[in-house]
Amino acid sequence: MEDIHLHLKNLGFTDLEAKCLHVLAESGTQTGYEIAKQLGVSRSNVYSALQKLAEKGAVLTSHGEPTHYQSVPIEEIGDRVEAELQASIRYVKEHMPKQGAHRSEYFSLEGDTKVLDRIRTELRKAREEVLCDLWAQEAQLLKEELRKVPAQGVRLLVSAIGDAALPSSVQQFSHKRDAAWNEQSGRKFTLLIDRKLAIVGTRGGDEPTLAMLTEHPAMVELLLNSFWRDVVIHELQQDMGAKLEDKYGKNFKKIIQKYAAPEGREKDTPSAEGEPASTTDESKTGEGKRKKKK
């Protein structure tokens, strides 16, 4: 019953109006006194609610004393509410001042529903291009929205981590990151829409889902450059994977290790593709020491 009352309230009825409608739908024609007795509410409040319902066209009233009330069929109420709502939406769209402001500030969102709903909304609004860097879990949740993007005439590229199983219409390439590397602090994801709106967030792990969105040129350029760098690395690995791994280590570990670890300090460093690198270089290992003794 509480669910019915909640949805009736969502349609614009007050709590007492919703309860009166439910009683009339359940019990048929009733007087105000009978409704008040069933609800345990004062008659004056019930009569006031019934009068409002009559004005809204949701109940019918009889002539004579005492007045009897009957609910209009819910289908009729729904059609009327829907028509009024659509009319209001059309009016607001036509007359509401248009927002032309550039979203150069950094706006934050928290919570799974809010973050995913905002991403879905922005994907539907895309007009030219969408660049996504997603883990398989998030790609699966956004699967339907991603499938519709090319149908909108929008270019879509998805850099997927894990088996995303996206539709064939989605152009994607895979990362070779270690799945355990990001799980503890949440899976990172980014979207760049029309080279204008940047969305950066984390989901999963021990923290709540968080996201930041902005149209600040610096963040847009940062995501764009990062995405194309990943595309280049992907193509190089596809064409020259064995040679690259032999010279630079798996996922370019040797390069990152050389620059990321401070002098004289042993430190775990992530590779270019997110895989943890070894803690030391050759000069700091036992092997290196043996070479020096020789």
Side-chain angles (χ1 to χ4, degrees):
M1 185 184 297
E2 290 182 0
D3 288 342
I4 295 175
H5 293 169
L6 174 62
H7 287 288
L8 285 169
K9 287 160 66 176
N10 287 342
L11 294 177
F13 297 106
T14 67
D15 184 63
L16 185 52
E17 289 170 359
K19 290 178 179 178
C20 290
L21 278 176
H22 187 264
V23 168
L24 289 171
E26 189 175 54
S27 305
T29 302
Q30 298 271 294
T31 65
Y33 170 78
E34 291 169 331
I35 295 172
K37 189 175 180 180
Q38 282 188 249
L39 294 176
V41 181
S42 70
R43 281 183 287 175
S44 61
N45 287 341
V46 167
Y47 281 124
S48 176
L50 290 169
Q51 184 178 350
K52 294 284 181 59
L53 287 170
E55 293 172 358
K56 293 177 180 179
V59 300
L60 302 174
T61 60
S62 70
H63 292 289
E65 291 292 338
T67 301
H68 286 77
Y69 299 87
Q70 185 178 67
S71 174
V72 169
I74 191 60
E75 293 81 6
E76 186 178 328
I77 293 174
D79 290 343
R80 181 180 291 111
V81 170
E82 184 177 5
E84 292 173 351
L85 182 60
Q86 290 296 332
S88 294
I89 290 173
R90 286 194 298 271
Y91 184 87
V92 170
K93 284 183 175 180
E94 292 175 7
H95 296 88
M96 192 75 167
K98 299 296 186 295
Q99 290 185 344
H102 185 72
R103 291 183 288 186
S104 59
E105 298 296 329
Y106 291 82
F107 299 96
S108 60
L109 294 169
E110 180 173 347
D112 218 42
T113 300
K114 286 184 179 179
V115 170
L116 291 173
D117 283 351
R118 173 48 52 187
I119 291 174
R120 291 185 178 107
T121 297
E122 297 298 344
L123 286 173
R124 288 194 294 269
K125 290 161 60 177
R127 292 293 175 265
E128 296 179 7
E129 180 185 73
V130 176
L131 307 177
C132 304
D133 189 347
L134 305 169
W135 287 72
Q137 293 90 327
E138 286 64 54
Q140 189 63 31
L141 287 172
L142 299 168
K143 184 176 180 179
E144 282 305 306
E145 286 71 24
L146 292 173
R147 179 182 63 80
K148 294 174 183 177
V149 169
Q152 299 165 197
V154 176
R155 180 172 183 247
L156 172 64
L157 292 176
V158 177
S159 174
I161 307 157
D163 184 12
L166 295 173
S168 58
S169 60
V170 177
Q171 188 174 354
Q172 64 176 319
F173 54 93
S174 60
H175 268 300
K176 297 180 180 178
R177 294 178 185 166
D178 179 2
W181 189 74
N182 265 350
E183 193 63 36
Q184 187 174 13
S185 58
R187 297 179 298 273
K188 283 73 173 176
F189 60 85
T190 68
L191 297 94
L192 184 58
I193 298 175
D194 292 334
R195 302 198 183 190
K196 179 181 179 183
L197 175 64
I199 302 176
V200 180
T202 58
R203 184 175 179 273
D206 301 326
E207 301 296 327
T209 300
L210 297 170
M212 177 274 296
L213 61 153
T214 183
E215 293 182 4
H216 196 289
M219 181 59 70
V220 169
E221 184 177 354
L222 183 65
L223 289 194
L224 185 62
N225 290 340
S226 176
F227 190 88
W228 292 134
R229 181 202 64 193
D230 286 347
V231 170
V232 170
I233 291 176
H234 170 76
E235 289 288 335
L236 288 173
Q237 288 177 323
Q238 289 288 101
D239 296 339
M240 306 173 64
K243 293 181 179 180
L244 290 173
E245 186 168 330
D246 182 59
K247 183 173 178 61
Y248 300 116
K250 188 176 181 181
N251 294 326
F252 306 97
K253 179 164 54 180
K254 292 180 181 178
I255 298 177
I256 299 300
Q257 183 180 335
K258 182 168 64 174
Y259 292 101
E263 186 69 25
R265 184 190 304 175
E266 295 184 357
K267 183 178 180 181
D268 287 332
T269 57
S271 73
E273 291 298 311
E275 181 178 329
S278 60
T279 57
T280 60
D281 60 26
E282 187 180 56
S283 65
K284 297 171 188 172
T285 63
E287 180 65 25
K289 291 176 182 177
R290 284 194 294 272
K291 287 182 178 180
K292 288 181 179 179
K293 286 180 180 179
K294 292 178 182 179

